Amino acid sequence: MALYYITKNPIYNGKHEVHCASCKKLPPMATIISLGDFKDCIRATKEAKKYFTDIDGCLLCCRQCHKK
């Protein structure tokens, strides 16, 4: 299990980005929303869709959920 976050503001591609807590590119705490603990980014992304419709996984920490 890992703790996941979603960015409050969209990133360069207009999507809100999902990160795990251990990500080297995790944005400042004031700019992210905690999604909770999940087994993988797929489950975290489903939770993130409760907040925003345009979601993308971080290329670094959520590669499986990153849209090319």
Side-chain angles (χ1 to χ4, degrees):
M1 298 283 276
L3 181 58
Y4 286 86
Y5 295 92
I6 183 79
T7 57
K8 290 180 182 178
N9 298 314
I11 56 171
Y12 67 92
N13 62 3
K15 298 182 184 296
H16 298 268
E17 196 168 53
V18 174
H19 292 270
C20 68
S22 62
C23 183
K24 293 179 181 180
K25 292 193 172 191
L26 184 67
M29 294 305 286
T31 65
I32 54 179
I33 299 167
S34 176
L35 296 172
D37 287 314
F38 295 95
K39 183 179 176 182
D40 55 41
C41 68
I42 295 169
R43 290 174 175 86
T45 300
K46 282 185 181 181
E47 180 68 19
K49 289 183 180 181
K50 293 179 181 178
Y51 295 91
F52 306 105
T53 55
D54 292 330
I55 308 281
D56 198 1
C58 171
L59 179 62
L60 186 62
C61 68
C62 297
R63 186 173 289 254
Q64 181 182 10
C65 298
H66 180 71
K67 298 173 185 165
K68 296 173 174 91

